[in-house]
């Protein structure tokens, strides 16, 4: 079945460590996105990529980094520079070309900093 | 500025009650799209519906219906005869065509709890 997978589902990190969250899609979508969700808040855009080898900062990119070496993969690294990284992270993808197209979401990764 | 407001933080109902989730949006664009997503306890967002700014026809899908009114900048979602499985957080979202920012602007969500 086509879809988006994120791993791991739960992740624990010590302060000062970098950690990478995986996102893979087999929907043949060009565009991919990373969102952060905090309790009682909506989703905030961290980074997005419309094509391979290109990506743009979203609204809250500080302390995060991404790469897009393959169409199917868009990993997110949470660096030690991110002051408050504990959150629920959602990856999404969609067909590129128009804001008309809905985004499809993965199951999410819950990151906790100890 | 673009903005989506879901003023209802949490709603609790008893099964079989009807419930309406409100969504009010602000946009600078004349062509835009509105979405509703459902987030069950598992966490994954599930797409429910999309509406174009030039199509004000209401939509019904089973127990779900959506009322889009440009005059009041609202895109409200009604669940008829609610069920326990409807318990989730529901998000309304907006994207604008002409600016092609490739962003979805989300509201803060409404948590719906349906009790048996």
């Amino acid at each position: 079945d086509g879809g988006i997978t994120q791993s791991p589902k739960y992740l624990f990190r010590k302060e000062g460590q970098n950690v990478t969250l995986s996102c893979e899609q087999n929907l043949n979508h060009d565009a991919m996105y990373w969102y952060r969700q905090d309790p009682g808040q909506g989703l905030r855009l961290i980074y997005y990529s419309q094509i391979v080898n290109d990506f743009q900062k979203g609204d809250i990119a500080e302390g995060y980094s991404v790469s897009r070496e393959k169409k199917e993969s868009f990993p997110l690294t949470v660096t030690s520079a991110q002051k408050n990284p504990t959150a629920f992270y959602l990856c999404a993808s969609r067909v590129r070309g128009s804001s008309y197209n809905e985004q499809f979401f993965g199951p999410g990764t819950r990151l906790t900093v100890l | 500025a673009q903005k989506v407001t879901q003023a209802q933080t949490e709603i609790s109902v008893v099964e079989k009650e009807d419930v309406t989730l409100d969504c009010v949006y602000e946009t600078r664009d004349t062509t835009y799209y509105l979405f509703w997503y459902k987030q069950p306890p598992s966490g994954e967002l599930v797409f429910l519906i999309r509406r174009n700014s030039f199509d004000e026809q209401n939509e019904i899908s089973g127990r779900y219906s959506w009322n889009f009114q440009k005059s009041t900048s609202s895109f409200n979602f009604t669940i008829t005869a609610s069920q326990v499985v409807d318990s989730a957080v529901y998000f309304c979202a907006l994207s604008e065509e002409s600016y092609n920012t490739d962003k979805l602007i989300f509201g803060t969500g409404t948590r719906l709890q349906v009790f048996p």
Side-chain angles (χ1 to χ4, degrees):
Chain A
D1 284 358
I4 301 175
T5 57
Q6 293 186 241
S7 61
K9 189 170 178 65
Y10 298 96
L11 189 56
F12 298 90
R13 182 194 103 173
K14 292 182 180 179
E15 279 194 40
Q17 288 182 337
N18 292 353
V19 63
T20 298
L21 282 58
S22 169
C23 177
E24 304 276 333
Q25 54 97 2
N26 60 4
L27 299 167
N28 200 32
H29 286 170
D30 292 294
M32 296 187 74
Y33 309 80
W34 273 106
Y35 292 91
R36 170 182 172 137
Q37 185 179 17
D38 294 285
Q41 296 193 34
L43 278 67
R44 293 183 289 169
L45 183 64
I46 304 172
Y47 268 98
Y48 63 102
S49 168
Q50 293 181 302
I51 56 173
V52 175
N53 292 322
D54 188 49
F55 49 83
Q56 288 78 40
K57 292 182 178 180
D59 300 319
I60 56 166
E62 185 175 349
Y64 300 97
S65 65
V66 294
S67 63
R68 187 85 187 276
E69 297 176 1
K70 299 186 299 182
K71 187 175 184 178
E72 302 80 17
S73 178
F74 191 40
L76 173 74
T77 297
V78 184
T79 75
S80 56
Q82 169 50 235
K83 298 305 178 189
N84 185 23
T86 295
F88 187 54
Y89 291 88
L90 284 156
C91 178
S93 71
R94 75 168 185 180
V95 174
R96 188 189 172 195
S98 170
S99 303
Y100 173 86
N101 300 309
E102 70 270 24
Q103 294 183 13
F104 293 85
F105 285 81
T109 292
R110 191 168 299 279
L111 173 64
T112 303
V113 174
L114 304 173
Chain B
Q2 322 131 294
K3 186 178 179 182
V4 175
T5 301
Q6 295 180 256
Q8 304 151 308
T9 305
E10 188 163 339
I11 301 175
S12 296
V13 299
V14 177
E15 243 186 340
K16 298 184 182 177
E17 282 187 41
D18 298 346
V19 58
T20 295
L21 283 60
D22 297 332
C23 173
V24 174
Y25 62 92
E26 295 175 33
T27 177
R28 54 191 170 180
D29 207 346
T30 56
T31 302
Y32 52 90
Y33 307 96
L34 296 163
F35 303 81
W36 275 96
Y37 284 86
K38 175 182 180 180
Q39 186 179 40
S42 60
E44 181 174 345
L45 265 73
V46 177
F47 167 72
L48 295 178
I49 192 172
R50 166 189 47 241
R51 177 57 73 219
N52 307 327
S53 57
F54 43 85
D55 181 4
E56 284 195 72
Q57 230 178 3
N58 290 335
E59 176 120 0
I60 298 175
S61 175
R63 295 184 298 105
Y64 294 173
S65 63
W66 291 268
N67 182 286
F68 175 37
Q69 291 194 338
K70 289 178 74 172
S71 60
T72 56
S73 297
S74 64
F75 186 40
N76 297 337
F77 173 31
T78 297
I79 301 175
T80 303
S82 59
Q83 299 177 2
V84 173
V85 293
D86 296 326
S87 297
V89 180
Y90 292 86
F91 290 98
C92 181
L94 162 75
S95 70
E96 297 172 322
E97 177 66 37
S98 62
Y99 292 92
N100 196 25
T101 60
D102 214 24
K103 288 183 183 180
L104 271 181
I105 309 300
F106 284 87
T108 51
T110 297
R111 180 178 298 277
L112 174 64
Q113 294 196 54
V114 182
F115 293 99

